[in-house]
Amino acid sequence: MNIKQSLRKISFFDVITILIASIVILFILSVVVMLIFKGIASINKEFFSKEIIFALTLSLSTASISTIVCLLFGIPTAYVLTKTKIPFKRFFEVLIELPLSLPNLVLGLSLLLIFASPFGKMLSEAGFRVIFSKAGIVMAHTLVNLPFVIRMIKTAFRSVDKRLEFIAQSLGASKFKSFLLVTLPLSRNAIVGAVILAWSRALGEFGATLMVVGVTRMKTETLPASIYLNIATGDMGAAMSSAVILLIISAASLFLFNCFQKDMR
């Protein structure tokens, strides 16, 4: 088929959709290019500053811890919702996914109310301090990302052929062994993808974190908080450096996620 024949087969609808897609691509490309163009000059000066290193270290550590927590709680919860028969299962599914439709500021406010209550004060006195602490950042990340992780893993578990699990159990494997040897390996790529996206989302989370721990320089200053603080004080160089770092990490995370998605096809 030559180029002329290909062009004849392009309909008016194709032309319209291509134009709309081009506008979307140019819009997003302009945002990325502007961040890189404005930030690349600043990152050389600001990257090794104490503030940027502190914000990057805090962001990486809290995002990693919260992602591990999401995984530890997300896998068993997804199993219960897909592989067991419990009453009110549909209600619990809706309840767990409700935070996905709420603004992160509202989620942060709910955490603030919980840990500012007498119960929260008891936990603080016992040594588990959340408000205005690093533990609060992890808690905020977990609340934002846990429903997302559960949803992705739940979809993966549902796609596993039940006959394979039945065969494993009919050959003498317990439910746990069947889950360990059949369900988890077949869901591996989806779980890894959920971990990558949850970690990336945690790095960029700001609304819930702001409500729980505030924005204190060199104490609760994550990369998004660093952008907010430096914009507020007029330090565009430091703000752009944090933004470029987030852009690079997000791009790398998305590349890894797409690699695992290709393996799933």
Side-chain angles (χ1 to χ4, degrees):
M1 185 182 293
N2 56 37
I3 297 174
K4 289 184 178 179
Q5 289 174 327
S6 299
L7 290 173
R8 286 173 189 169
K9 288 193 173 184
I10 297 177
S11 66
F12 178 73
F13 177 72
D14 290 334
V15 173
I16 294 298
T17 53
I18 289 170
L19 284 173
I20 293 173
S22 300
I23 292 170
V24 172
I25 291 168
L26 286 173
F27 174 65
I28 295 174
L29 182 64
S30 65
V31 172
V32 173
V33 169
M34 183 58 68
L35 273 176
I36 295 173
F37 178 74
K38 291 289 186 180
I40 205 72
S42 302
I43 199 168
N44 293 328
K45 300 176 184 177
E46 303 288 345
F47 184 74
F48 294 104
S49 67
K50 288 184 179 179
E51 182 181 353
I52 297 297
I53 291 174
F54 177 88
L56 177 60
T57 304
L58 181 61
S59 292
L60 292 175
S61 60
T62 53
S64 299
I65 294 169
S66 66
T67 302
I68 292 171
V69 172
C70 287
L71 194 62
L72 291 175
F73 284 91
I75 290 177
T77 305
Y79 177 83
V80 168
L81 295 176
T82 56
K83 303 296 181 181
T84 64
K85 294 181 180 179
I86 58 171
F88 310 111
K89 182 189 287 189
R90 184 57 188 160
F91 170 76
F92 292 140
E93 286 183 339
V94 173
L95 180 66
I96 288 171
E97 293 187 2
L98 183 61
L100 293 174
S101 62
L102 290 174
N104 289 357
L105 280 171
V106 175
L107 298 177
L109 176 61
S110 65
L111 284 177
L112 182 64
L113 293 173
I114 290 171
F115 290 103
S117 67
F119 170 74
K121 291 176 182 176
M122 284 175 55
L123 289 177
S124 181
E125 290 172 1
F128 186 67
R129 188 166 172 263
V130 172
I131 298 177
F132 302 121
S133 72
K134 295 176 183 178
I137 300 174
V138 173
M139 191 67 70
H141 290 176
T142 301
L143 179 58
V144 169
N145 283 326
L146 184 56
F148 172 77
V149 170
I150 292 172
R151 187 172 194 174
M152 286 194 69
I153 298 176
K154 190 173 64 173
T155 302
F157 285 174
R158 280 183 175 150
S159 67
V160 174
D161 192 341
K162 291 182 180 179
R163 291 175 297 178
L164 297 176
E165 296 171 328
F166 176 77
I167 291 169
Q169 291 175 28
S170 65
L171 292 175
S174 63
K175 279 192 172 183
F176 173 70
K177 202 167 184 180
S178 170
F179 174 73
L180 204 62
L181 298 178
V182 178
T183 310
L184 271 183
L186 291 175
S187 307
R188 179 189 60 196
N189 287 344
I191 293 172
V192 173
V195 167
I196 292 170
L197 286 185
W199 184 78
S200 179
R201 281 162 53 95
L203 280 177
E205 204 293 310
F206 180 62
T209 305
L210 174 67
M211 294 299 295
V212 179
V213 302
V215 183
T216 305
R217 200 178 293 276
M218 300 294 287
K219 185 179 179 182
T220 59
E221 186 180 3
T222 58
L223 285 172
S226 176
I227 295 172
Y228 176 83
L229 278 172
N230 287 306
I231 287 292
T233 56
D235 190 348
M236 284 295 295
M240 292 305 302
S241 296
S242 298
V244 170
I245 292 169
L246 280 174
L247 176 65
I248 293 169
I249 295 174
S250 298
S253 301
L254 188 59
F255 174 77
L256 285 174
F257 176 75
N258 285 332
C259 288
F260 280 98
Q261 287 292 96
K262 286 180 182 177
D263 290 339
M264 289 171 63
R265 292 170 188 169

